[in-house]
Amino acid sequence: MFSTVFASVLLVLSSVLTPVNTQSIDINSVAEATREYWCSSQKAACPLICLQLPGATGSPAENSCDADTLSYSCVCSNNVSPNASEYSQTMPYFICTETNTECVNKCTTSACAAACRSDHPCGAQDPKRVNVTTTTSAAATTSTATSTAVQTDEATGAATRYALEMGHIYGTFILISGFLAGFAILL
């Protein structure tokens, strides 16, 4: 019994800790600079993805990528390896978009080209909203409070965006006024 459980745990751990390599493209067909950019983006996305997992911090236990093989590993501080294919700007996303581009390049009709992308979408298809409570057994007041908090966050975000846009407008106005005042003094 103990050996069966131990073997199962080892199997799960090895699958989680093994670097991911899900390529379906010819690596040599992608420019080295492009592959390096993909790796850079993958490594930048890993801490952000980890922040969305319960019990994980933005400091992954492992975050690596090899531009020569397109192999990568993202293991969060809670020892969970997130499904990077659910996110954009990750290695699975870039490989998917490259596969679709190669498919489009082989097409002779617009219907074929459209099917390449619509039949094989890349990145998040149904992203999880991590800032919304999804507990179904909560009381109506809790649901109302959560809804109000989300609406307040959205209103605060809109007000912040508006204030930033107005700040840019006023800043530009002050800058132009300063130049005009400077020219007026010179004349």
Side-chain angles (χ1 to χ4, degrees):
M1 173 74 177
F2 177 75
S3 63
T4 306
V5 171
F6 183 73
S8 298
V9 168
L10 281 179
L11 179 64
V12 169
L13 283 177
S14 68
S15 67
V16 168
L17 298 178
T18 303
V20 179
N21 189 352
T22 59
Q23 59 195 52
S24 58
I25 59 172
D26 176 17
I27 295 174
N28 297 322
S29 70
V30 179
E32 183 177 350
T34 301
R35 291 179 300 188
E36 288 173 2
Y37 170 76
W38 290 357
C39 269
S40 174
S41 293
Q42 170 62 44
K43 288 173 70 174
C46 180
L48 299 173
I49 294 170
C50 286
L51 283 173
Q52 297 181 27
L53 296 179
T57 66
S59 298
E62 185 176 336
N63 185 9
S64 63
C65 186
D66 183 358
D68 293 330
T69 62
L70 300 184
S71 295
Y72 69 94
S73 178
C74 176
V75 180
C76 300
S77 61
N78 62 353
N79 292 322
V80 172
S81 185
N83 182 358
S85 66
E86 295 178 353
Y87 300 90
S88 297
Q89 305 303 309
T90 61
M91 191 58 69
Y93 171 80
F94 291 122
I95 291 172
C96 178
T97 56
E98 180 64 22
T99 301
N100 288 348
T101 299
E102 289 177 4
C103 176
V104 168
N105 291 340
K106 293 175 186 174
C107 287
T108 57
T109 65
S110 60
C112 171
C116 286
R117 299 200 192 282
S118 65
D119 292 348
H120 305 285
C122 302
Q125 302 308 305
D126 187 21
K128 297 177 185 127
R129 295 187 64 188
V130 294
N131 62 348
V132 177
T133 303
T134 58
T135 306
T136 57
S137 63
T141 56
T142 304
S143 176
T144 303
T146 302
S147 175
T148 303
V150 170
Q151 290 172 355
T152 302
D153 286 346
E154 290 171 358
T156 303
T160 302
R161 281 191 301 277
Y162 177 75
L164 287 173
E165 289 173 11
M166 291 307 295
H168 289 148
I169 292 170
Y170 287 123
T172 303
F173 175 75
I174 290 171
L175 183 66
I176 292 171
S177 297
F179 279 122
L180 291 176
F183 283 123
I185 291 173
L186 289 175
L187 297 175

